[in-house]
Amino acid sequence: MTASRTPPSASASRPRLEPSTRIQFLPGVGPVRARAYERLRLVTLEHLARHYPRDWLDASHFALVKDLVPGQLMTVVGEVKRAAALRTRGGRGDFVATISDGTGTLGCYFFGQAFLARTLVPGTRVVVSGEFDPVERRMQNPMFEVEGEDLATLLHAGRRVPVHGLGRGITAHGMRTAVSRALEAVADTIPDPVPAAVAAAHRLGPLGAALRAIHFPGSLAELEAARRRLAFEELFELQMVMELRRHVISQEGRGLAMTSSGGLAREVEAALPFTLTEDQRGAIADVAADLARTRPMHRLVVGDVGSGKTAVALLAAAHAIETAHQVAFMAPTEVLARQHATTLGRLTRGTRLEVATLTGSTPATQRRLLQARLLAGEPLLLVGTHALLEKKLQMPKLGLAIVDEQHRFGVRHRATLASKGVLPHVLVLTATPIPRTLQLACYGDLDVSLLRTRPAGRGRRVTRVTDEGKLPQVIEFMARELAAGRQAYVVVSAIEEGARAEIRAAESEVESLRAQPLLSRWRIGLLHGRLRTEEKLAVMDAFQKGELHVLVATTVIEVGVDVPNATLMVVQNAERFGLTQLHQLRGRVGRGEHRSVCVFVAGRAVPASGRERLAVMAGTDDGFELAEADLRMRGPGDLWGTRQAGLPSLKVADPWRDVSLLYEAREAAQAVVAADPRLADPAHAALRAALVANYREPLELALVG
Ligand code: ADP
Ligand code: MG
């Protein structure tokens, strides 16, 4: 840039643009447009610089009008010959221009963009990129840029053009211009969260260059290098969070060493009506070893629905209780908590292990009594909802907290549990299979025990995918199963969001099943989320006892039903469910000795891709394989797992594709935390600031106190 183009006086009169400067101060934006950016959570210039494109259109192939190849993205440089705004009914008016480059003329048609009449006046030289439509003999809505003095500065056409996420009140053109100006002003002054030593060790170039190249890459190689650089940064921050959490949570000496002889566990195990699987034994041994250490346990037991996680939890509790400690077992809903209490009470009958329950509906007198016993230090297995944590309940001898079906057990939760400076051990049970890669990305701070084998003595389970046209055959099959003494689930969903729509769908399903002559002998029940706890329990109980033969349900049955006699699961409009959700539903059957069948019914007009997805379900019964397939199919755009974990989703990194980068980032994070766990070193100041900005919640307490 020459001095004559930007006289010093001009820059002196304007406020200096910093990475933290608000977008409204960017030339050409102003307060009104800034609000449109804010709706996209783009507030500062750094946010703009980090608003990475979703895609890039390669419009770098220049051609003469006479050589245009139909259907290919090509760029023409020419002069506007004729231009006209066209009135359209209702709309904002279209705009049409004719461009000539001396070898021919090219029509350009812009839908709804009559305002271009002000820009593309005859005589203007323009660069136009688009696909030539040979039928209409024109380009429709091409990208364009009024030609400046230097083709190297093109932003909107004739290059690899970035496609940014947009919002109401922001055009693609406006966004690219704003991003480009933000980059020009601040790309080189944005503090780099990756410490210089780490960047050097992993051969990462400067941040500013990567930011420029991710938006406006000069070549594919440049784009890939920039993506890698920024992906590393994201993965590194994520791994820093994991390492810092691991550091605070798992400090040696902060936990209770609870070394049991295993006597109570053996007693409880002997009373179980089944033999533990190898995997269950392994998980219990993992836990017992963890409990005996002074480093607080934070272990995840991952196993499909029906894999027997409850028994693992029970024996873990037995180990803790034997050492005279209290155990809190928390379920996500009141219904589940009460079912767990019943099940655990039944399984421990006749043993020295005592199970107690505390839920929202426990009467006050009973609650007081329980509190008194807890205060006296009686070692109990207390079952309740997650609210056990929040309530003013005191458990002075709490040694182990077990959390069912809640992925993230936050640092804050642990702080709530911590009593007298000691952190209880935490065991989390989950049926959501986590792909290996994501496990590392999102759960790097947890130890994991897997339950991969299904308990023995269970019948085969097969999955069939069919469509609505085959419903009569499905009903016929259901009637045969019921006649053989079995039971069936039918799961429905609604197109619209919301419980009300789901209930209507479920009610109409009940009606249509009751109208089936083949099913007239059988009793059909209904279960949905709006029922009161007592009503839900009554329906489940009736199904359990065989008083109901068919249970029509919304997805509430995802949790909390265990009926080994149920051998048929029909899921209507199965395409509306995610693979992991379908897999969890499928886990409701195949719990008994009989062969069971799961039928996924695709609704009308389901596209081929939807059927393909369902076909994957029929292809494997392994939850881990499915989770990986799900991740592969949905791709990096929808990072299942990170959001559930309460972590911001990654913008450019894809733990699937970037797995080696992930390992590099992990190694780097481990080194940084080992050397400077408080991030007090000035060389880590930018990293600390970025972590606090991006990961405030998950990091709570890790960097303070
Ligand atoms: P989940 O992992 O979904 O929580 P549960 O703990 O509810 O699974 O167990 C599902 C069913 O399997 C229960 O009826 C339970 O009693 C039974 N079960 C658990 N472990 C075994 C085993 N080793 N052998 C046979 N049945 C088992
Ligand atoms: Mg369970």
Side-chain angles (χ1 to χ4, degrees):
M1 211 173 270
T2 58
S4 64
R5 278 217 234 140
T6 45
S9 58
S11 56
S13 65
R14 289 222 184 95
R16 249 181 76 87
L17 297 177
E18 311 272 355
S20 60
T21 304
R22 297 178 81 87
I23 293 174
Q24 87 175 74
F25 298 110
L26 205 57
V29 178
V32 175
R33 286 231 174 84
R35 272 204 291 283
Y37 285 95
E38 275 164 30
R39 282 196 291 271
L40 296 176
R41 297 182 184 214
L42 302 174
V43 179
T44 67
L45 298 188
E46 171 165 2
H47 292 163
L48 263 185
R50 288 192 179 276
H51 184 50
Y52 307 142
R54 282 201 302 241
D55 198 4
W56 297 260
L57 297 175
D58 187 2
S60 53
H61 187 97
F62 285 76
L64 298 170
V65 171
K66 72 175 174 61
D67 298 329
L68 283 176
V69 181
Q72 285 186 23
L73 183 53
M74 287 186 165
T75 298
V76 167
V77 183
E79 189 183 309
V80 178
K81 290 296 178 194
R82 287 190 304 278
L86 308 176
R87 271 175 197 282
T88 50
R89 234 181 305 149
R92 294 160 62 188
D94 296 342
F95 176 71
V96 62
T98 307
I99 285 153
S100 166
D101 69 350
T103 72
T105 58
L106 170 69
C108 294
Y109 198 95
F110 297 88
F111 289 97
Q113 300 180 61
F115 58 85
L116 290 180
R118 272 173 285 148
T119 317
L120 298 180
V121 293
T124 313
R125 287 194 56 81
V126 285
V127 181
V128 177
S129 299
E131 284 178 18
F132 181 64
D133 176 345
V135 179
E136 303 272 358
R137 297 212 48 83
R138 67 189 189 193
M139 286 183 181
Q140 288 178 6
N141 288 341
M143 302 180 285
F144 75 92
E145 181 157 351
V146 174
E147 195 184 46
E149 289 145 20
D150 180 4
L151 276 187
T153 64
L154 281 172
L155 298 181
H156 309 283
R159 58 166 304 122
R160 216 172 274 277
V161 181
V163 181
H164 293 104
L166 301 174
R168 194 157 45 85
I170 309 175
T171 62
H173 221 86
M175 177 66 86
R176 279 191 295 263
T177 307
V179 167
S180 157
R181 290 196 174 137
L183 286 170
E184 207 171 292
V186 304
D188 295 314
T189 50
I190 291 175
D192 189 351
V194 179
V198 173
H202 295 268
R203 292 192 306 280
L204 304 173
L207 175 61
L211 288 173
R212 270 189 290 270
I214 196 88
H215 291 283
F216 300 105
S219 66
L220 199 55
E222 205 181 291
L223 173 59
E224 186 43 42
R227 200 198 67 80
R228 182 178 175 281
R229 167 66 164 88
L230 299 171
F232 181 92
E233 181 186 302
E234 285 181 355
L235 295 170
F236 174 67
E237 286 186 12
L238 194 58
Q239 291 304 318
M240 280 299 300
V241 175
M242 299 302 154
E243 283 308 312
L244 288 169
R245 288 171 61 113
R246 185 186 270 281
H247 183 80
V248 263
I249 286 171
S250 311
Q251 281 176 62
E252 244 7 283
R254 294 200 62 193
L256 298 154
M258 304 193 295
T259 312
S260 75
S261 68
L264 183 59
R266 274 192 298 278
E267 182 184 329
V268 172
E269 186 184 336
L272 292 177
F274 47 75
T275 315
L276 294 173
T277 64
E278 274 311 300
D279 284 354
Q280 282 172 317
R281 273 181 217 291
I284 294 160
D286 288 343
V287 173
D290 288 348
L291 293 181
R293 302 176 56 181
T294 59
R295 165 182 175 270
M297 170 175 77
H298 198 180
R299 181 171 291 279
L300 198 61
V301 174
V302 186
D304 271 1
V305 175
S307 60
K309 295 185 290 294
T310 317
V312 172
L314 174 60
L315 289 163
H319 279 283
I321 286 174
E322 189 188 325
T323 65
H325 283 94
Q326 295 163 342
V327 178
F329 187 163
M330 291 162 283
T333 66
E334 167 135 16
V335 169
L336 258 185
R338 285 165 69 170
Q339 282 191 333
H340 272 322
T342 310
T343 309
L344 294 169
R346 186 159 32 85
L347 291 175
T348 53
R349 198 169 299 147
T351 71
R352 287 173 293 145
L353 196 154
E354 191 182 344
V355 179
T357 331
L358 185 69
T359 67
S361 51
T362 306
T365 42
Q366 217 171 308
R367 181 183 297 261
R368 274 198 296 277
L369 191 66
L370 193 58
Q371 178 64 84
R373 295 181 64 193
L374 290 168
L375 282 174
E378 277 188 51
L380 296 173
L381 169 52
L382 181 63
V383 183
T385 58
H386 290 159
L388 274 189
L389 283 183
E390 320 295 341
K391 294 277 157 60
K392 275 169 284 176
L393 187 75
Q394 292 180 54
M395 296 184 75
K397 295 284 285 176
L398 180 63
L400 170 64
I402 302 171
V403 190
D404 195 17
E405 301 295 354
Q406 187 196 29
H407 263 207
R408 265 288 159 204
F409 190 72
V411 173
R412 188 163 23 148
H413 292 130
R414 296 197 70 120
T416 317
L417 285 181
S419 57
K420 300 188 182 89
V422 186
L423 287 168
H425 298 281
V426 172
L427 185 66
V428 179
L429 313 178
T430 180
T432 308
I434 305 157
R436 266 279 318 141
T437 38
L438 275 186
Q439 198 175 306
L440 189 62
C442 310
Y443 300 90
D445 55 338
L446 305 182
D447 293 314
V448 177
S449 298
L450 296 180
L451 302 184
R452 293 199 75 133
T453 44
R454 288 206 302 155
R458 298 207 173 159
R460 225 158 64 80
R461 179 169 69 196
V462 295
T463 296
R464 297 270 179 270
V465 176
T466 184
D467 56 54
E468 274 181 14
K470 298 273 168 52
L471 270 177
Q473 284 94 317
V474 175
I475 298 292
E476 241 172 76
F477 180 73
M478 185 184 295
R480 278 206 302 277
E481 288 289 293
L482 298 177
R486 305 284 84 77
Q487 289 163 281
Y489 297 103
V490 178
V491 175
V492 299
S493 68
I495 308 176
E496 315 103 272
E497 291 275 310
R500 209 167 286 281
E502 276 210 327
I503 293 168
R504 254 186 280 119
E507 281 169 349
S508 84
E509 181 71 26
V510 170
E511 266 165 47
S512 87
L513 290 176
R514 283 189 182 144
Q516 296 281 345
L518 279 175
L519 301 179
S520 58
R521 301 166 50 196
W522 309 110
R523 274 190 302 279
I524 300 169
L526 173 61
L527 189 64
H528 60 70
R530 283 287 171 94
L531 295 179
R532 281 179 293 122
T533 300
E534 301 307 325
E535 293 171 320
K536 276 187 208 159
L537 288 169
V539 173
M540 288 186 196
D541 193 48
F543 189 64
Q544 191 110 41
K545 289 191 179 130
E547 294 162 8
L548 289 173
H549 306 102
V550 179
L551 187 60
V552 173
T554 56
T555 49
V556 291
I557 64 151
E558 246 192 77
V559 288
V561 189
D562 183 16
V563 180
N565 190 48
T567 54
L568 175 62
M569 155 82 52
V570 178
V571 181
Q572 301 276 30
N573 295 107
E575 76 281 357
R576 291 183 196 155
F577 297 89
L579 289 190
T580 42
Q581 203 181 8
L582 287 173
H583 186 63
Q584 298 208 346
L585 286 171
R586 172 160 78 178
R588 293 291 141 209
V589 296
R591 296 179 154 225
E593 58 192 306
H594 304 283
R595 170 185 190 268
S596 49
V597 179
C598 190
V599 184
F600 293 143
V601 185
R604 260 181 253 287
V606 171
S609 63
R611 285 172 168 278
E612 220 171 275
R613 232 163 50 84
L614 292 177
V616 172
M617 294 295 303
T620 176
D621 208 40
D622 182 313
F624 293 90
E625 236 173 77
L626 267 180
E628 304 247 316
D630 208 8
L631 182 66
R632 245 191 326 256
M633 273 187 285
R634 294 207 228 170
D638 187 359
L639 262 177
W640 174 93
T642 47
R643 221 167 305 136
Q644 254 181 351
L647 301 173
S649 58
L650 304 168
K651 288 194 282 185
V652 287
D654 169 2
W656 183 264
R657 186 159 67 130
D658 298 321
V659 68
S660 65
L661 207 56
L662 180 61
Y663 280 97
E664 278 188 48
R666 184 170 164 79
E667 211 176 285
Q670 280 169 344
V672 169
V673 174
D676 182 20
R678 292 248 163 256
L679 301 185
D681 185 337
H684 298 146
L687 172 59
R688 192 178 212 283
L691 292 179
V692 169
N694 296 335
Y695 294 92
R696 187 182 300 281
E697 175 128 15
L699 262 185
E700 231 171 286
L701 298 177
L703 284 175
V704 297

